[in-house]
């Protein structure tokens, strides 16, 4: 009898604790919802949009077409034009750009460039993304446009060509200018077009750190760190704009792109973006189930792979450019996640030898993409010569057909993962671009 009473008492206590936990959870959720509402209410700087990158559907829009200050989201267009120049052979990763007095005078955030310095393109790209360096933005602008004002005209012209009809740029950095305006919708278009038009460079947007002149800078973008599946893109802030962020997230084959503008703090902005993405992924999943055309929208033959850093490896399928003019963000990119790697079981005695297996040799390093196969082969051969543990038979040149051209990727293949990482470190110390990748079907 006493045992039965003790069991009954414990059950009652357990149920009471569970009820209290659920009540606290409900209160916490209510507080979170209140914070989200506060972010929008009485906030003339606020705007937001969430787009399904697979289908082009707008899943959420709130003041998405109202003019806002883009702040450092401006640098996404600066990067877009830099990537254009690289694709057209006007710039290379090792191109050194001069630093003018005007560039060196840019306020924080910056990387403390001095007049007369020369900045490599390979350093400029992560400096713009990770550090959001204003001095670097001006260096790029002057290298491509002669003057920052002329480059801003180029940026505005490109925006119009991308159907960003409500966007005007007056500088390359996003520093305060009353005439520099954009919208959440336009910036979502730019995010999508960066992924489509410059897929080979998209991996830079997931970088978490950047080292220059012996100093390491951490990314301002906590969404990449804290929200699962986020692999880009950019944050921005000036007093006139509030806290802005453009975010791209891939989960279970669904890619969503979101823009939130006018946050009252970086923390509340990120909370707002998180809430919008959470609800939009649910909405996208429901739409995918009930839309009869879903399969046609999301299934297209793969024509290219994005090769990324050791942090992320993903496969991208891209459609031919849409030549029709419309007011919605085009369905420009489809991204399918690589299948997760199953946890490795403990090796059996037969597997414990030091002899590499096909599975352990499933890694490669990529040292460049070129318009000619001979250039690609020459780069791979040069890289192989710098490494004493790579055989000539491990050189591979892959032809990749894009919508408007053919590229040849220069790789060293059949490596172990640690071998690939160490090889990249050695090559990068010698000034050679290098990326660690997981080989397909390995």
């Amino acid at each position: 009898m006493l045992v039965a009473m003790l069991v009954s008492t414990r059950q009652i206590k357990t149920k009471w604790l569970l009820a209290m936990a659920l009540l606290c959870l409900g209160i916490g959720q209510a507080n979170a919802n209140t914070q989200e509402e506060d972010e929008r209410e009485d906030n003339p700087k606020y705007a937001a949009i969430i787009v399904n990158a697979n289908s082009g559907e707008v899943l959420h829009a709130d003041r998405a077409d109202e003019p806002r200050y883009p702040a450092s989201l401006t640098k996404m267009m600066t990067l877009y034009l830099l990537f254009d120049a690289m694709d057209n052979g006007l710039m290379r990763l090792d191109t050194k750009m001069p630093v003018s007095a005007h560039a060196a005078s840019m306020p924080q955030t910056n990387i403390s460039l001095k007049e007369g310095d020369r900045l490599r393109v390979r350093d400029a790209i992560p400096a713009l993304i990770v550090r959001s360096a204003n001095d670097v933005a001006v260096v790029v602008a002057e290298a491509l446009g002669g003057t920052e004002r002329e480059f801003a005209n180029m940026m505005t012209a490109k925006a119009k060509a991308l159907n960003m009809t409500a966007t005007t740029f007056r500088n390359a950095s996003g520093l305060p200018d009353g005439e520099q305006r954009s919208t959440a919708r336009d910036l979502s278009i730019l995010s999508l077009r960066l992924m489509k038009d410059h897929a080979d460079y998209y991996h830079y947007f997931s970088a978490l750190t950047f080292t220059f002149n012996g100093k390491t800078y951490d990314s301002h973008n906590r969404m990449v760190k804290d929200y699962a599946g986020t692999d880009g893109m950019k944050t921005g802030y000036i007093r006139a704009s509030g806290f802005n962020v453009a975010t791209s997230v891939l989960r279970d084959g669904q890619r969503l792109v979101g823009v939130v503008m006018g946050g009252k703090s970086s923390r509340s902005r990120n909370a707002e973006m998180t809430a919008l993405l959470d609800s939009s992924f649910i909405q996208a999943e429901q739409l995918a189930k009930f839309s009869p055309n879903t399969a046609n929208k999301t299934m297209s033959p793969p024509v290219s792979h994005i090769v990324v850093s050791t942090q992320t490896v993903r496969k991208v399928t891209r459609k031919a450019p849409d030549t029709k003019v419309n007011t919605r963000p085009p369905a420009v990119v489809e991204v399918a996640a690589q299948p997760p790697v199953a946890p490795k079981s403990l090796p059996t005695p037969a597997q414990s030898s030091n002899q590499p297996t096909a599975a352990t040799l499933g890694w490669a390093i990529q040292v460049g993409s070129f318009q000619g196969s001979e250039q690609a082969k020459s780069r791979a051969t040069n890289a192989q010569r710098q490494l004493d543990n790579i055989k000539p038979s491990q050189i591979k040149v892959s032809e990749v057909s894009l919508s408007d051209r053919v590229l040849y990727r220069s790789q060293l293949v059949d490596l172990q993962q640690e071998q690939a990482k160490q090889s990249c470190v050695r090559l990068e110390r010698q000034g050679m671009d290098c990326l660690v990748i997981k080989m397909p079907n390995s």
Side-chain angles (χ1 to χ4, degrees):
M1 183 69 177
L2 178 60
V3 172
M5 290 177 64
L6 288 172
V7 171
S8 177
T9 303
R10 287 174 182 169
Q11 289 175 340
I12 294 171
K13 185 176 181 180
T14 300
K15 290 179 180 179
W16 181 82
L17 289 172
L18 179 60
M20 291 301 295
L22 290 172
L23 177 61
C24 291
L25 181 62
I27 293 172
Q29 184 62 48
N31 288 338
N33 291 338
T34 300
Q35 290 175 355
E36 292 160 17
E37 290 171 1
D38 289 344
E39 187 68 21
R40 306 174 196 181
E41 289 181 359
D42 302 322
N43 183 358
K45 301 175 184 178
Y46 179 85
I49 191 169
I50 307 290
V51 180
N52 186 329
N54 299 68
S55 65
E57 293 174 286
V58 176
L59 302 174
H60 172 86
D62 186 347
R63 290 164 265 184
D65 296 303
E66 295 184 11
R68 298 287 186 266
Y69 295 107
S72 283
L73 299 190
T74 296
K75 294 183 177 82
M76 292 197 298
M77 180 59 83
T78 302
L79 286 158
Y80 187 101
L81 291 181
L82 177 58
F83 296 152
D84 268 356
M86 294 171 71
D87 282 346
N88 292 327
L90 301 175
M91 289 278 182
R92 300 182 65 176
L93 285 170
D94 287 324
T95 300
K96 294 182 179 179
M97 301 175 288
V99 178
S100 69
H102 174 55
S105 71
M106 290 297 104
Q108 292 284 5
T109 54
N110 57 45
I111 57 171
S112 303
L113 294 174
K114 302 293 188 295
E115 181 181 3
D117 287 348
R118 298 182 70 83
L119 180 70
R120 297 183 305 174
V121 169
R122 71 169 67 250
D123 294 320
I125 295 170
L128 289 170
I129 294 168
V130 175
R131 179 60 174 165
S132 197
N134 297 318
D135 49 358
V136 174
V138 176
V139 169
V140 171
E142 293 177 339
L144 296 179
T147 66
E148 186 177 13
R149 174 62 69 176
E150 182 56 35
F151 184 73
N153 293 335
M154 294 166 57
M155 295 169 71
T156 301
K158 178 59 72 172
K160 299 301 186 269
L162 298 181
N163 203 32
M164 297 169 61
T165 57
T167 296
T168 300
F169 292 110
R170 289 290 180 258
N171 61 52
S173 63
L175 284 169
D177 188 304
E179 296 182 354
Q180 182 140 309
R181 293 298 187 97
S182 189
T183 65
R185 189 184 303 276
D186 277 5
L187 291 167
S188 73
I189 294 174
L190 178 57
S191 301
L192 290 163
R193 292 301 295 262
L194 270 167
M195 285 189 286
K196 176 203 170 185
D197 299 342
H198 296 301
D200 287 336
Y201 308 113
Y202 178 67
H203 64 273
Y204 285 106
F205 287 95
S206 63
L208 296 176
T209 61
F210 159 65
T211 300
F212 180 75
N213 282 347
K215 184 174 182 179
T216 298
Y217 301 93
D218 293 323
S219 173
H220 300 162
N221 192 351
R222 294 204 62 86
M223 291 298 297
V224 175
K225 302 176 185 179
D226 298 341
Y227 192 75
T230 303
D231 52 20
M233 296 183 67
K234 187 75 184 71
T235 61
Y237 171 80
I238 57 174
R239 185 175 299 176
S241 71
F243 291 84
N244 299 342
V245 67
T247 302
S248 179
V249 185
L250 175 67
R251 286 187 181 177
D252 300 324
Q254 289 276 9
R255 179 172 289 280
L256 301 187
V257 169
V259 176
V260 169
M261 308 184 76
K264 296 178 180 178
S265 69
S266 60
R267 185 173 181 177
S268 66
R269 172 204 63 196
N270 291 349
E272 173 74 358
M273 177 64 83
T274 296
L276 292 177
L277 287 169
D278 284 346
S279 61
S280 294
F281 269 113
I282 295 172
Q283 185 181 352
E285 183 179 356
Q286 293 172 339
L287 289 172
K289 287 179 180 178
F290 295 107
S291 173
N293 298 321
T294 297
N296 293 332
K297 289 179 180 178
T298 60
M299 299 295 290
S300 60
V303 295
S304 177
H305 291 76
I306 281 185
V307 181
V308 298
S309 67
T310 54
Q311 296 169 343
T312 325
V313 178
R314 64 187 67 84
K315 182 172 67 177
V316 172
T317 60
R318 296 192 289 172
K319 297 180 180 179
D322 186 1
T323 57
K324 297 180 181 179
V325 176
N326 55 69
T327 57
R328 294 178 57 194
V332 296
V333 64
E334 299 178 357
V335 184
Q338 290 281 7
V341 179
K344 293 182 180 179
S345 57
L346 292 174
T348 63
Q351 295 173 319
S352 299
S353 68
N354 294 326
Q355 186 66 28
T357 64
T360 63
L361 294 177
W363 294 83
I365 57 177
Q366 181 164 306
V367 291
S369 296
F370 303 89
Q371 296 182 356
S373 60
E374 289 303 316
Q375 289 176 296
K377 184 176 180 181
S378 176
R379 174 58 65 89
T381 302
N382 186 29
Q384 181 264 331
R385 289 196 189 108
Q386 309 300 321
L387 303 167
D388 53 15
N389 58 345
I390 306 294
K391 301 175 182 178
S393 61
Q394 292 172 280
I395 292 174
K396 180 181 179 181
V397 174
S398 303
E399 181 179 319
V400 181
S401 297
L402 305 181
S403 60
D404 57 347
R405 64 192 186 283
V406 173
L407 289 178
Y408 297 88
R409 286 184 175 156
S410 181
Q411 298 175 337
L412 302 177
V413 301
D414 295 331
L415 309 178
Q416 294 174 292
Q417 183 176 12
E418 192 59 34
Q419 180 188 17
K421 290 180 180 179
Q422 292 177 2
S423 297
C424 260
V425 169
R426 290 176 61 183
L427 292 175
E428 287 172 346
R429 285 174 180 169
Q430 299 174 56
M432 187 175 292
D433 193 41
C434 184
L435 297 170
V436 175
I437 61 175
K438 187 79 165 65
M439 296 174 64
N441 303 320
S442 60

